[in-house]
Amino acid sequence: MFRHFIASNSFEHKIECFCADRHHAGQVTIQIGDIIELTNERKFIEEQGWYFLICMSDGRHFYLALEDLENYYVSGYLFSLVDLELKVNYCKYKINVALDTGDEATFMEFTCKLMKSRQLKEEIEKHLEHIEA
């Protein structure tokens, strides 16, 4: 599993708290371009499963259920760097096919997707270079 993900869409996430008084529970808005890093700290809660402590690019920390992470990933809200590289390659392919067939609508659609994917890819690459430095 990858350690770094970038949000491709904005969404709300309900933060669960494991304290007795649930003081830290609430909601967090994850914006397009926010980077999520999975840390090595994990918790297993009976009847709820595994939780990862995540660190957001803006410094926020909270626990995220493995099930929620999988749902966000499968739904296309979160991408890894490899996902974005594959998406960029696929968009380029679809643009070339559209150019060959003269399909302007497909060309425009995949050009927009390519631009968005490249932008997200550049943002996560900058973040990864920054943390490695």
Side-chain angles (χ1 to χ4, degrees):
M1 179 179 267
F2 302 105
R3 284 189 58 152
H4 293 88
F5 297 91
I6 190 165
S8 63
N9 296 302
S10 296
F11 60 95
E12 296 283 327
H13 173 71
K14 182 182 174 194
I15 298 174
E16 297 184 42
C17 177
F18 309 116
C19 303
D21 62 357
R22 302 261 185 225
H23 177 69
H24 302 101
Q27 282 203 326
V28 62
T29 301
I30 298 174
Q31 302 290 338
I32 294 173
D34 281 348
I35 309 240
I36 295 174
E37 178 184 357
L38 298 176
T39 66
N40 289 329
E41 188 172 334
R42 299 171 182 89
K43 283 188 178 191
F44 182 79
I45 308 298
E46 290 278 335
E47 300 176 21
Q48 293 181 353
W50 284 101
Y51 285 79
F52 288 90
L53 180 63
I54 65 164
C55 177
M56 299 285 294
S57 53
D58 61 6
R60 294 177 286 174
H61 292 76
F62 54 89
Y63 281 93
L64 178 68
L66 177 59
E67 183 178 344
D68 290 339
L69 177 65
E70 289 173 343
N71 288 336
Y72 295 143
Y73 184 76
V74 169
S75 300
Y77 288 109
L78 298 175
F79 285 103
S80 69
L81 179 58
V82 172
D83 296 327
L84 290 169
E85 289 172 348
L86 291 171
K87 190 166 184 166
V88 165
N89 286 339
Y90 179 71
C91 288
K92 287 179 182 178
Y93 166 76
K94 292 300 279 186
I95 288 169
N96 286 334
V97 169
L99 286 171
D100 291 342
T101 60
D103 186 351
E104 185 178 349
T106 301
F107 174 80
M108 295 305 292
E109 174 189 350
F110 281 95
T111 299
C112 290
K113 288 181 179 182
L114 177 62
M115 290 171 45
K116 181 180 178 184
S117 299
R118 279 184 173 164
Q119 181 181 15
L120 291 173
K121 183 176 177 263
E122 287 173 12
E123 287 181 38
I124 197 168
E125 285 174 334
K126 274 195 266 181
H127 177 78
L128 293 173
E129 287 173 8
H130 182 279
I131 60 173
E132 289 176 0

